[in-house]
Amino acid sequence: MKNKRYINVLLAVLLVLFWVGLLVCAYQLQQYRFFAKEAEHLWISDEIWIFEQLQHPSGVVQLLTSALTQFYSIPFVGPVVTTLIGFLIYLIGVGCLRTIGKGRQSTVFSNTVFFILPAVFLFLCHENVWYSYRGDVALMVAMLFGYAFVQIVTRLKQRWMKSIVALFLTGVAYLTTGSAAVITVVVVCIYSFNYKQWLAMPMALVAWLLLGWYSVKEGHFISMEEAFTPLQYYEWPSTYYFQIFAWASVLVALVVGTTLQRINMKPLWQGMVFVGVIAFAIVQGITMYRGTHNSRNYELRTEEWLCHQEDWDGIIAMHEGSAQQTCFISYLNLALAQKGLLTERLFQFNPLVKSIKELPKDMDSQSFQGNEDAQSGASRLQHPEDSTAQQMVCAPLLMKFDEFSREASKLQSAVQMAWGGAALCNAHKAAFEANMLTPGQTDAQELKIQIITNAVFGTPKVAEKYLHILQKTTFYKDWANEMLSSKDALEKLAAPLRKGLPENNALYMKTQVGKTLQNTVLDADGQLRVPVGSIASQFYEAYILLTLDKNAILHWAQTLKGEKLSSLLQQAICAFAQPDEISSFGVSYSILQQFHALQQHQEPTGYRTSFWNFYYSTVASSS
Amino acid sequence: MKKIVLLYLLVLLFTACSTRVNIVNRSSEKPVVLPDYTDVTIPCNIAPLNFSVQGLTDAALVIKGDVDSICLTTGDGNFDIPLEEWHQLLAAQKGHALQFTVCRSTENGWEGLQPFNVQVSNDSIDPYVVYRLLPPGYGLWNRMSLMQRNLENFQEEEIYANRYGRGNCVNCHSFAGGKADTWQVHVRHNYGGTFVVRQGKMQKLNVQGAKAKPVYPAWHPDGRFIAYSTNNTFFHIHTADVNRWEVMDDGSDVMVVDTENGEVLTAPQFTQKEKYETFPAFSPDGKWLYYCTAQAVDTLTRQFQDVRYSLCRILFDAQHRTFGTQVDTLYSAPQQGSSATMPRVSPDGKWLCFVRQPYGQFATCHLDATLQLINLENGEITSTQELGSWHSWSQNSRWMIFASKRDDQRYGRLYIVHVAPDGSTSKAFVLPQPEATHFYDMQLNTYSIPELVSGHVDMTPQQFQQSISK
């Protein structure tokens, strides 16, 4: 007896540890995915919008999901609520088992432990970018309907009434949750098998099948597959086996649980079953997570969030040590520029910069051959065998990502919004596309960008339209109300950006990043038209350094005469300017000393992240 | 039992009584009505003109005809006109005006604001319109649907939605003579191709020997030939212009496809390298093929503002499948200094409507594009003063529906305009919607390529998908 108590305590502790562990995993491994869920299911406090959601099967779940996920922009909420949903599924399952198994072996840990499996599989579902959070909520609500069924029918005597309850509840479950109502059917079936209520089972099945078929007929779902499988919880057709596993594990949990209720197991065996299932869940969960986790995608989601929070240090910290910058237009470069560090630390993260242990033997002061123009500079970096170099500078888009993805659009809108000027038009376009590619077209961040850019470009009514939408949200209504309170409010944000637009309209060329930046920072006469050290000027300087554009570098240095120049720019001046002109550009004594040391074949301090090392790395790669 | 029947009758009597609005005072203040339905001309079979009044919540509306009237009250400033009563009123008021009086609640009772009129035309409009509904994107798209809407009520149905086709694109739907059972549509990407529907059956059109995919379609009245343009299209966005983007053709030709065998018919006038030809349209008698043509430029991205399209026509002999040799110019871009695109001839053959814009060919990009009318009898060109494009004629040639971004310069809405026999046009009004103001405020999709159709298109999305999947 005492042993049994000790074992039960131990198992209870293990169970608690499991849920705490799942919470920690959700926080550590997925919390940045939950921030994105807010955009995908933005809650709109609008009667007509709410009513429209309810017109479709699973509309209630859609509303519940929106109601929950609107808080996911607050740290911790997403992981906590998601784990809680998993825990509630467990509790509801235990409740079902207890009610079904009344009079038999009492419900013990070993009977009920299988109900932890749905939570594990739902956790894995979130690794799929197309997965909608509705899937989690739908499973929980469907289980709730199953629980309601067993609670009601155990109080009824007439079999026909139990069948009616099965029919009714399954029908309501389908209209509320969609295809996840199969879980309700499963509960009904398990109950029917246990109590030989053979009429309830087909009634539940009929309700589920009929409503699914009718939903397809009415166009709510595109196919029978969508009507009856987890496919309806994915934005676009995708593999959904984790969701299937989650559903199947409910069935397994009920079957095994009710079977074990009939067996009088010794506490030790119960403990072993319990521990075995927990171990299985953990091992399988880890294995499957490793197999499906897309670290690059998650890194991007993390950067997205940190950018939204303006946590520039956080973004930089993510890349410290890894030193693998992939693209010119990137959150890292934006973060560095926001901190005023882009042109100081440009080559710290550049994969083209190799650690050259030996300086070139034939190096002399004439050995720095820059490029005559940006285009040849860019083409110089096009190493056929090294696509990293090509895309590093020439393609402003993402590597390893679909150019036409929401992630790519969000990145472009964030970075080019910061540039302003000639790139603002593309920031506007990218923000539109990022929002368009979001389910429901309700990405508040991208709507905010478009509100400002529409005001800049002279389409204020569109800005108003988006503001009216944000007025109906929980966390953006204050900002929207502020913008709508007076004409000046929005104009204050738009006016400086409008001032930075090019004087003459032209077509934006997405491949001509350098030209866009040049048109943003310099006017037609080559004079500076943005503040020194602005985001755009840092990116421009970074671009001409990366492309080894000799003329542009020297012109830029000329333009900035009298200002404090970045170390990298000073190093480039040393490399490209005539020896007797170097000092006239304002190159510091220490940089000059380093250059002289380099010319003496001595590796100067900080050589690893210098312009000279980048130059030789690039030249060595291309020769 | 008798008491129950009496009670029932009393209830019926009360509910049958319309709202009484007793106007105690008159004001000269003009109500701000959204959408703006003031002083418009409407078809005698159009859906109710639901609208809201800016600045008022407790309000009443009296719609007065010669004999009947409708009275409504509202607590939120929105008026939802009952469908049946509305149609009864329209039927009784054909050829006459309805007087709309918006009233605001005061201490003394209802104060009537300055009334406005809505003219009910004797002419009806085709009962359906088919259009695309999608976000007003640039090159990318996500969700899009091909929809049909009953213009006599608010019923809207999907003909196709691209979620069935895993994100493909449908465009350039076109109906032969406005008939609902003969139409064509392009599908791009997944399940791609050009599909022709005849009597409810959809088949892929195998175009033989075309240099490029067919784009803008135009049916020959006999339903056998379809004229297409083939366009090498790309777009760019503007860095500092209220027109956000520019869609350009770096090469385009016109061809006519014989749908019986997929054979391509062409003429030297349509395949000139030094010219761009696009936007074909047949005359209702099938004798003329209208099209737009512009001088090609060396570098389109630099010279795009120099590309201006003229409007021309050439004879077409359907029997012999040949073209004439002489090209008539109805609108000369070099002389006029602007571009003419999207020609559409009215079914009675008297008028040609085209879009005039400063340059280029894709009117959707140009917020200043206006609809122009050419009198085909004397060649006179008049402006309708209506900003818009993608116009479609009704079968009685008295109405046009078109897409316009005039409201916010971004989201296209459908506008309907009356065209009198002498070519004069009324003030256009936006397609009625239930809760119109809220609807358009929350609508994040644009209406594109409206086509008036004389009947219901009997095609479900499932049937559409099944047909293109074959």
Side-chain angles (χ1 to χ4, degrees), chain A residues 46 216 219 465-466 468 508, chain B residues 163 237 411 438 440 443 462:
Chain A
D46 183 276
V216 174
K465 182 189 184 71
Y466 297 154
H468 289 160
Y508 174 84
Chain B
R163 66 185 193 279
I237 51 177
Y411 289 84
H438 178 278
Y440 285 121
Q443 176 63 275
Q462 292 90 340

Side-chain angles (χ1 to χ4, degrees), chain A residues 44 46 48-49 52 216-223 225-226 234-237 403-405 409 421-422 424-426 428-429 432-433 435-442 447 450 454 457-462 464-466 468-469 472 501-502 504-510, chain B residues 76 78 134-144 158 161-168 234-246 248 300-302 304-305 359 367 406-411 413 434-435 438-445 460-462 465:
Chain A
I44 311 281
D46 183 276
I48 295 174
W49 178 82
E52 274 173 8
V216 174
K217 189 173 169 297
E218 290 298 298
H220 296 297
F221 300 125
I222 62 171
S223 62
E225 187 186 358
E226 195 183 9
Y234 290 77
E235 175 62 16
W236 286 108
E403 177 185 333
F404 306 115
S405 67
S409 296
L424 198 68
C425 58
N426 199 56
H428 170 81
K429 172 179 169 288
F432 178 85
E433 287 171 347
N435 188 51
M436 180 183 71
L437 295 169
T438 303
Q441 297 188 65
T442 48
L447 284 174
Q450 288 180 82
N454 272 294
F457 288 115
T459 47
K461 292 233 177 246
V462 184
E464 256 179 59
K465 182 189 184 71
Y466 297 154
H468 289 160
I469 293 171
K472 297 172 183 176
L501 288 177
N504 300 314
N505 179 42
L507 296 179
Y508 174 84
M509 302 290 178
K510 71 177 183 182
Chain B
D76 62 1
N78 294 309
L134 73 168
Y138 300 88
L140 290 189
W141 69 89
N142 191 13
R143 301 280 193 199
M144 72 167 70
E158 270 179 357
N162 75 340
R163 66 185 193 279
Y164 287 87
R166 291 169 181 260
N168 55 5
F234 62 99
F235 79 92
H236 285 288
I237 51 177
H238 289 283
T239 55
D241 194 294
V242 71
N243 292 315
R244 300 302 327 121
W245 61 321
E246 195 64 44
M248 292 167 269
L300 199 51
T301 48
R302 284 205 197 112
F304 63 95
Q305 288 174 313
Y359 59 87
L367 299 172
R406 64 184 64 186
D407 296 298
D408 57 23
Q409 299 173 313
R410 188 80 181 103
Y411 289 84
R413 304 288 177 240
E435 302 265 353
H438 178 278
F439 179 91
Y440 285 121
D441 208 26
M442 295 290 284
Q443 176 63 275
L444 291 176
N445 289 318
T460 65
Q462 292 90 340
Q465 180 59 34

Side-chain angles (χ1 to χ4, degrees), chain A residues 250-457:
Chain A
V250 172
L251 170 65
V252 164
L254 283 168
V255 168
V256 172
T258 49
T259 307
L260 288 179
Q261 279 175 335
R262 298 166 198 270
I263 301 169
N264 192 8
M265 262 202 302
K266 286 183 180 168
L268 188 62
W269 280 106
Q270 288 175 17
M272 283 172 69
V273 168
F274 183 88
V275 171
V277 172
I278 296 252
F280 169 81
I282 292 170
V283 169
Q284 202 61 19
I286 292 170
T287 310
M288 286 179 168
Y289 174 80
R290 280 194 176 146
T292 47
H293 179 66
N294 184 333
S295 56
R296 186 68 183 101
N297 179 276
Y298 189 68
E299 186 183 288
L300 199 61
R301 289 284 164 122
T302 308
E303 288 176 315
E304 259 176 42
W305 175 253
L306 294 175
C307 176
H308 163 47
Q309 296 292 97
E310 297 185 5
D311 184 358
W312 311 119
D313 291 325
I315 294 174
I316 297 168
M318 279 175 67
H319 293 270
E320 295 280 16
S322 63
Q324 274 302 308
Q325 168 63 299
T326 52
C327 289
F328 185 61
I329 291 187
S330 64
Y331 287 112
L332 173 60
N333 278 353
L334 177 62
L336 288 168
Q338 291 281 3
K339 300 286 288 183
L341 298 173
L342 179 58
T343 46
E344 288 297 336
R345 302 181 70 182
L346 179 66
F347 299 127
Q348 179 181 341
F349 301 101
N350 192 324
L352 288 175
V353 177
K354 294 168 182 132
S355 181
I356 294 181
K357 287 177 183 168
E358 287 182 19
L359 296 172
K361 290 187 175 113
D362 58 351
M363 185 192 75
D364 59 35
S365 61
Q366 299 304 313
S367 67
F368 289 96
Q369 300 296 320
N371 295 302
E372 294 305 318
D373 57 68
Q375 193 57 42
S376 61
S379 65
R380 190 201 173 105
L381 291 171
Q382 283 176 18
H383 304 287
E385 60 275 7
D386 185 359
S387 61
T388 306
Q390 181 176 6
Q391 297 200 35
M392 173 70 200
V393 177
C394 301
L397 305 163
L398 295 175
M399 265 199 335
K400 296 179 190 172
F401 279 99
D402 181 3
E403 177 185 333
F404 306 115
S405 67
R406 181 179 152 207
E407 290 86 356
S409 296
K410 281 182 80 74
L411 171 56
Q412 282 182 84
S413 74
V415 173
Q416 293 186 304
M417 192 69 183
W419 293 0
L424 198 68
C425 58
N426 199 56
H428 170 81
K429 172 179 169 288
F432 178 85
E433 287 171 347
N435 188 51
M436 180 183 71
L437 295 169
T438 303
Q441 297 188 65
T442 48
D443 186 325
Q445 307 311 321
E446 304 306 319
L447 284 174
K448 280 170 95 169
I449 291 174
Q450 288 180 82
I451 285 164
I452 298 168
T453 52
N454 272 294
V456 170
F457 288 115

